[in-house]
């Protein structure tokens, strides 16, 4: 059956709609719009954080999603939004202290493109050899550690770059995101980040009305002078319909704090440098984990064994990332937010994803829309990233927990702990005069190589080099407080 011929169904209450089925086109368009809203917040926020054009990012996310659906032949419903896993690598490129100094947007997208190629090749490997081959090289203990160090390495960006522009607004926004994420149910709980962005925007506007202008520092400018928290001056200058500009040549550093950001960063050809590529490559490990988890989750929800197309899904994400970054767009990944929409609606129709992709492409041609999002007060981004970066880090712990990783074994405990601290502490190691390994890249190498070295020379026993209490000491009835109460 053609990918573009869906069986129209009218399901009863609680009945699922399979990927090859669809509701009436009116309802399908509505569901497609929900998918756009679900992925919208992160797909716009992360490009801005990475210093890439948000309009181009959402446009290319739509194109990448269509490519993904074509490659997997409509068997895996998914939307490819902007990946958060590359934020750390982009930050490392913008602040690189090795020979040649820091890079710019073209260097970021060049490194991301290479990572996309590697991800595509890993997908082919999984398709040929099966997921077990990848798991042997990247077991859960390693994958979880890499995801964790990527997230926690970003802490200074949230607390040192965005939050200082208005700490109270950042904390209020963070609190609202937390409350909405855990307090709202169903679809609205899934878009808590987007709702938090809107709420932070409104609170910042009210703060301007109540307290007037602020003189707190904006990112990239230590002394900006008095300024409004919400400034739409630049938004008015953008057209309703248009295409992102060409990126100015020779840009160095993250331009997202530049008031003229959307007029200097747009589409461009990527630039390739080995040092920058190595800073970004660790994100591939996180993307493999994300994609494998996505396919498993969709398989469980739909009741279909999707293992045979798992490799294709990973490769398709790699293709999407290559296509997007080739013109200056942001990297892509399968979105958990959209899994949430499917779980809430029980509609797995790929027709809704094609609609979402088309809507995203159309939004990419609305410069004023991108300018509006880009005008988000930095403190609001600070509040959102406090949650997002922490969530990325703790997803690593989630991988450990779900796979029963035992840190009572030195083989797991020792190399993983060393790699994480190297990354979070942003340690650097000069390899040559022209090449420095630091932060995420250095931490990832230590995690992967250290773990396999430990397996080679160590014993897979239950011993530990650090005493953290006897087994059962921290369970109910065993700790001193409970024993005292029982006595």
């Amino acid at each position: 059956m053609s990918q573009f011929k869906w069986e129209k169904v009218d399901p009863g209450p609680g009945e699922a709609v399979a990927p090859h089925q669809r509701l009436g086109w009116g309802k399908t368009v509505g569901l497609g719009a929900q998918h756009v809203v679900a992925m919208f917040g992160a797909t716009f926020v992360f490009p801005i954080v990475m210093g890439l054009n948000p309009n181009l990012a959402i446009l290319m996310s739509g194109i990448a999603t269509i490519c993904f659906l074509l490659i997997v032949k409509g068997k895996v419903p998914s939307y490819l939004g902007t990946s958060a896993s590359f934020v750390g690598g982009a930050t490392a490129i913008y602040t690189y202290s090795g020979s040649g100094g820091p890079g710019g947007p073209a260097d970021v997208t060049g490194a991301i493109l290479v990572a996309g190629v590697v991800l595509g090749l890993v997908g082919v490997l999984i398709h040929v050899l099966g997921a077990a081959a990848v798991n042997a090289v990247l077991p859960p203990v390693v994958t979880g550690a890499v995801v964790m160090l990527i997230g926690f390495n970003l802490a200074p960006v949230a607390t040192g770059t965005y939050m200082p522009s208005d700490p109270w607004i950042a904390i209020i926004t963070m609190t609202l995101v937390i409350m909405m994420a855990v307090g709202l149910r169903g679809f609205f709980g899934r878009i808590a980040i987007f709702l938090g962005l809107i709420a932070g925007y409104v609170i910042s506007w009210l703060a301007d009305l109540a307290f007037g202008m602020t003189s707190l520092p904006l990112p990239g400018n230590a002394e900006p002078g008095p300024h409004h928290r919400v400034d739409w001056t630049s938004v008015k200058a953008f057209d309703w319909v248009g295409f992102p500009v060409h990126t100015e040549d020779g840009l160095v550093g993250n331009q997202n704090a530049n008031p003229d950001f959307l007029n200097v960063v747009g589409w461009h050809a990527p630039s390739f440098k080995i040092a920058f590529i190595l800073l970004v490559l660790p994100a591939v490990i996180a993307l493999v984990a994300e994609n494998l988890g996505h396919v498993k989750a969709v398989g469980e929800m739909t009741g279909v064994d999707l293992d045979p197309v798992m490799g294709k899904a990973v490769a398709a994400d790699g293709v999407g990332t290559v296509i997007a970054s080739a013109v200056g767009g942001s990297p892509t990944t399968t979105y958990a937010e959209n899994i949430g929409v499917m779980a809430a609606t029980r509609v797995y129709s790929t027709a809704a994803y094609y609609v979402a992709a088309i809507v995203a492409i159309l939004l990419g041609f609305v410069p004023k829309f991108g300018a509006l999002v880009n005008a988000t007060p930095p403190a609001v981004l600070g509040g959102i990233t406090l949650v997002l970066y922490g969530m990325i880090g703790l997803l690593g712990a989630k991988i450990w927990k779900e796979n029963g990783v035992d840190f009572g074994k030195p083989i797991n405990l020792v190399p993983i702990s060393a790699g994480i601290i190297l990354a979070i502490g942003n340690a650097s190691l000069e390899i040559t005069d022209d090449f420095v390994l630091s932060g995420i890249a250095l931490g990832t190498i230590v995690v992967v190589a250290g773990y396999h070295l430990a397996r080679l020379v160590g014993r897979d026993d239950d011993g530990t080099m650090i005493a953290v209490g006897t087994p059962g000491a921290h369970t109910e009835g065993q700790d001193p407080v409970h024993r005292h109460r029982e006595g």
Side-chain angles (χ1 to χ4, degrees), residues 312-401:
K312 286 185 178 180
V314 175
D317 187 13
V319 171
T321 293
V322 169
I323 292 174
S325 56
V327 295
S330 57
T332 63
T333 188
T334 50
Y335 257 33
E337 290 90 335
N338 296 95
I339 290 182
V341 174
M342 289 191 290
T345 62
R346 300 206 69 197
V347 177
Y348 311 112
S349 172
T350 54
Y353 280 100
Y354 277 109
V355 170
I358 293 170
V359 172
I361 291 170
L362 294 175
L363 281 175
F365 288 101
V366 184
K368 193 176 289 292
F369 191 64
L372 184 66
V373 177
N374 185 57
T376 302
V380 175
L381 289 178
I384 289 172
T385 53
L386 284 172
V387 178
L388 282 176
Y389 296 165
M391 287 174 60
I392 294 170
L394 289 178
L395 282 176
K398 183 173 181 285
I399 292 173
W400 289 338
K401 182 177 183 296

Side-chain angles (χ1 to χ4, degrees), residues 199-215:
Y201 229 126
V202 172
I203 291 170
S204 298
W205 175 69
L206 292 175
D208 281 337
L209 294 178
F211 307 112
M213 292 190 290
T214 176
S215 295

Side-chain angles (χ1 to χ4, degrees), residues 125-146:
L125 185 67
I126 294 173
H127 185 69
V128 174
L129 302 178
V134 176
N135 289 334
V137 179
L138 301 173
V141 62
V142 169
T143 304
V146 173

Side-chain angles (χ1 to χ4, degrees), residues 239-260:
D239 296 328
W240 280 103
V241 179
F243 191 78
V245 301
H246 181 266
T247 303
E248 289 187 2
D249 294 331
L251 292 179
V252 174
N254 195 334
Q255 302 295 311
N256 65 6
N258 184 342
D260 212 26

Side-chain angles (χ1 to χ4, degrees), residues 22 27 38 89 114 125 197 229 281 327 343 409 428 456:
R22 69 169 175 85
K27 293 180 179 178
V114 174
L125 185 67
L197 185 146
R229 296 167 183 82
L281 277 180
V327 295
K409 297 179 178 180
S428 61
L456 183 65

